[in-house]
Amino acid sequence: MSSLTDLTLCQAAAGLRAGDFSSRELTEACLARIETLDGELKTFLTLVPEATLAQADAADKDLIAGRKQDVEALPPLLGVPIAVKDVLAVAGMRATAGSKVLENFVPPYTATAVQRLLDAGVIILGKTNTDEFAMGSSTENSAYETTHNPWNLARVPGGSSGGSAAAVKARLAPAALGSDTGGSIRQPASYCGVTGIKTTYGRVSRYGLIAYGSSLDTVGALGRDAQDVSVLFKLMAGHDPKDATTLDVPVPEVALNGSEKIGGLRVGVPKEYFIEGIQPGVETAVRAAIAQFEALGAEIREISLPYTAYALPVYYIIAPAEASANLARFDGVRYGLRVPDEDMIQMYKETRGAGFGPEVKRRIMLGTYALSAGYYDAYYGQAQKVRTLIKQDFTKAFEEVDVIAAPVAPTTAFPIGEHSDDPLAMYLEDVFTLPANLAGVPGLAFPVGFDGENLPVGVQLMGPIFGEERLFRVAHAYQQVTDWHRQYPPLMVAG
Ligand code: GLN
């Protein structure tokens, strides 16, 4: 290994336990790389190096003491730094959600998903860039900065967890947390060439996640490979009394040991995901990955998810409707920005006018319209009915197959600015990721090749509700015999 920043999360955790290096050394290596590269990449919104290094020193003390007694009794990720998308609350650390309205908001509490990882010993390296309130597919909707794709700085990293995905690929952090409401973990994972899990709705607590679309929001993780992501998943998952939508079902042991067998596994390939308009380089790489699953013993079956085409219009009614309700709380009274005015209504208007960016305002207007008296049944009510049909597509499919394999997005990373003036073109990037959110099922994205322009292509595996473990197994088996996940952007190698 040439450098500590090359280590995967699991390698870093093992090296720390063995005493090969200290948490301070590892954390300093990440911070130094951030210092060198992040001026250009713009993956982080908030860094607090002193506090981070103080955590590292505390971890080192525990590591030294633990090594003298029982190393196995130490928390599994003791001393490993990770990055956190800026929609998750970490007590005492600014949480902006990429919005000006929360520019100076410091939450007094920590998200459950983050807390569980802190309990497992991680160190928080910083908060990563996101589209404002996670609304977007490129990080261009961040009120602060646009993140650049480490494979090509003129391209977007995807979004909205684009800061997390780019930070992991640029090896600024071993792994990162994200959120996925309509593709925000899987699509940037695909655009940057990392592995990312969108968890089953209700599997990981949303407590401390700044809400976007509450019936769709999920918390997940991005990392170098399926193994790393499965470790984070397992630690974060499970019932939380602070989020009534988390389910009290056991989290399976996802110990991946390199001998995963997928022989006999039925992999469904939905014909609706290979439509006109999909970039040829994407289709070629995804089909090659499916052929590789077959070579590993899986049985490939063509399937149909007939309501796929409705996912986009349905999502873009339900998500804005829920967002319009969730974002009502940003009124200048309790949190964040306030533009003072003697008249209260005027104060609301000016605060919201100054605090929200154009895409967020568009969504609030669309959502408010869809929920307004007279239109509710025609839009929101109708969308909910079609959502049920989309859900049923998946239920039926999983009677026939164990997992579904499909592209993550119709294209690879597009140029910065390409869709900025065309919201609809931006929404179309989400066409293959939205169905899993509407159905509540898990999805795992991981790299399976490159297009003609040396940009990564990802495949998406979807599984039944609570079927994450199955997705990790397939990805891990694939990653044992391929090395797409180990490719790093040439730009970064010298760093
Ligand atoms: N791009 C989608 C949107 O803008 C999904 C975003 C997300 O998953 N948070 O709503």
Side-chain angles (χ1 to χ4, degrees):
M1 269 306 150
S2 52
S3 152
L4 291 179
T5 52
D6 291 345
L7 300 174
T8 66
L9 181 91
C10 290
Q11 288 167 338
L16 286 165
R17 275 160 181 262
D20 297 341
F21 45 85
S22 67
S23 174
R24 175 171 267 268
E25 285 167 328
L26 174 61
T27 307
E28 277 179 345
C30 293
L31 289 171
R33 200 168 162 85
I34 293 169
E35 175 85 28
T36 316
L37 295 172
D38 212 41
E40 222 167 1
L41 288 169
K42 300 191 173 16
T43 64
F44 281 91
L45 287 175
T46 301
L47 289 158
V48 281
E50 276 165 31
T52 300
L53 289 170
Q55 289 178 55
D57 290 340
D60 281 329
K61 272 203 195 124
D62 292 348
L63 279 160
I64 291 166
R67 257 183 249 118
K68 288 194 191 124
Q69 294 159 14
D70 178 10
V71 104
E72 291 308 315
L74 289 171
L77 297 180
L78 187 56
V80 182
I82 62 160
V84 176
K85 183 180 182 184
D86 209 18
V87 290
L88 286 159
V90 180
M93 209 175 193
R94 187 171 83 120
T96 70
S99 181
K100 286 285 176 197
V101 93
L102 288 177
E103 188 161 19
N104 300 310
F105 174 60
V106 179
Y109 58 93
T110 298
T112 298
V114 177
Q115 190 56 53
R116 290 191 177 172
L117 295 178
L118 287 170
D119 295 343
V122 304
I123 284 167
I124 311 291
L125 207 46
K127 305 293 292 290
T128 54
N129 195 26
T130 167
D131 288 292
E132 187 174 0
F133 288 104
M135 295 175 190
S137 313
S138 69
T139 79
E140 291 166 293
N141 296 338
S142 164
Y144 300 96
E145 58 190 20
T146 295
T147 301
H148 295 252
N149 190 309
W151 289 97
N152 179 337
L153 297 177
R155 304 273 172 153
V156 301
S160 60
S161 313
S164 286
V168 171
K169 194 76 239 183
R171 290 176 285 169
L172 307 183
L177 298 189
S179 65
D180 191 314
T181 303
S184 275
I185 287 177
R186 289 160 289 157
Q187 185 254 22
S190 176
Y191 281 14
C192 291
V194 301
T195 301
I197 183 82
K198 176 248 176 248
T199 53
T200 303
Y201 182 80
R203 178 62 113 171
V204 177
S205 173
R206 288 178 294 117
Y207 176 78
L209 170 71
I210 296 173
Y212 164 15
S214 301
S215 76
L216 302 154
D217 290 342
T218 57
V219 176
L222 303 96
R224 308 276 166 88
D225 57 30
Q227 176 104 44
D228 280 4
V229 177
S230 72
V231 166
L232 293 171
F233 162 73
K234 197 177 158 273
L235 291 167
M236 290 191 296
H239 177 63
D240 176 16
K242 292 175 179 154
D243 174 359
T245 60
T246 52
L247 285 133
D248 203 357
V249 259
V251 180
E253 222 17 78
V254 228
L256 303 173
N257 56 23
S259 58
E260 270 51 51
K261 298 272 179 298
I262 61 167
L265 192 94
R266 298 163 301 169
V267 177
V269 179
K271 58 175 194 262
E272 292 81 4
Y273 282 64
F274 293 87
I275 46 169
E276 214 181 305
I278 177 173
Q279 213 170 281
V282 170
E283 174 154 4
T284 309
V286 170
R287 294 239 185 242
I290 293 167
Q292 183 68 65
F293 301 151
E294 191 167 23
L296 287 165
E299 184 194 318
I300 310 299
R301 294 192 188 173
E302 183 175 283
I303 59 162
S304 174
L305 297 167
Y307 287 98
T308 299
Y310 297 98
L312 196 106
V314 164
Y315 174 89
Y316 277 99
I317 288 174
I318 294 176
E322 295 182 2
S324 73
N326 276 325
L327 269 54
R329 75 191 69 179
F330 302 107
D331 57 4
V333 176
R334 282 182 299 165
Y335 323 84
L337 181 79
R338 173 184 300 180
V339 179
D341 195 287
E342 278 173 19
D343 179 70
M344 189 180 67
I345 301 295
Q346 202 54 29
M347 184 279 284
Y348 287 160
K349 285 185 182 167
E350 283 176 26
T351 298
R352 290 170 67 82
F356 293 137
E359 182 61 27
V360 172
K361 286 179 183 157
R362 180 178 298 120
R363 306 263 180 125
I364 291 173
M365 285 189 280
L366 285 170
T368 307
Y369 184 82
L371 289 178
S372 56
Y375 294 105
Y376 183 95
D377 291 339
Y379 291 103
Y380 191 71
Q382 198 66 13
Q384 289 291 20
K385 287 184 193 153
V386 184
R387 179 180 188 172
T388 302
L389 296 173
I390 292 167
K391 215 181 252 178
Q392 285 168 359
D393 270 0
F394 282 92
T395 311
K396 281 189 206 135
F398 288 123
E399 284 164 9
E400 266 177 68
V401 296
D402 301 301
V403 300
I404 294 173
V408 179
T411 71
T412 52
F414 49 87
I416 290 175
E418 188 168 87
H419 300 325
S420 308
D421 301 326
D422 188 352
L424 203 56
M426 190 75 93
Y427 300 169
L428 280 166
E429 289 295 323
D430 306 333
V431 60
F432 300 145
T433 46
L434 305 172
N437 297 80
L438 291 166
V441 301
L444 182 71
F446 54 96
V448 293
F450 290 90
D451 70 0
E453 295 182 87
N454 202 36
L455 293 165
V457 178
V459 75
Q460 160 174 227
L461 295 177
M462 290 175 277
I465 302 271
F466 296 122
E468 286 90 349
E469 190 256 356
R470 203 179 278 185
L471 308 182
F472 287 126
R473 255 194 309 125
V474 179
H476 190 61
Y478 177 88
Q479 291 178 340
Q480 295 301 298
V481 296
T482 56
D483 74 346
W484 301 114
H485 60 292
R486 280 191 220 99
Q487 306 290 319
Y488 287 96
L491 237 179
M492 302 297 156
V493 171

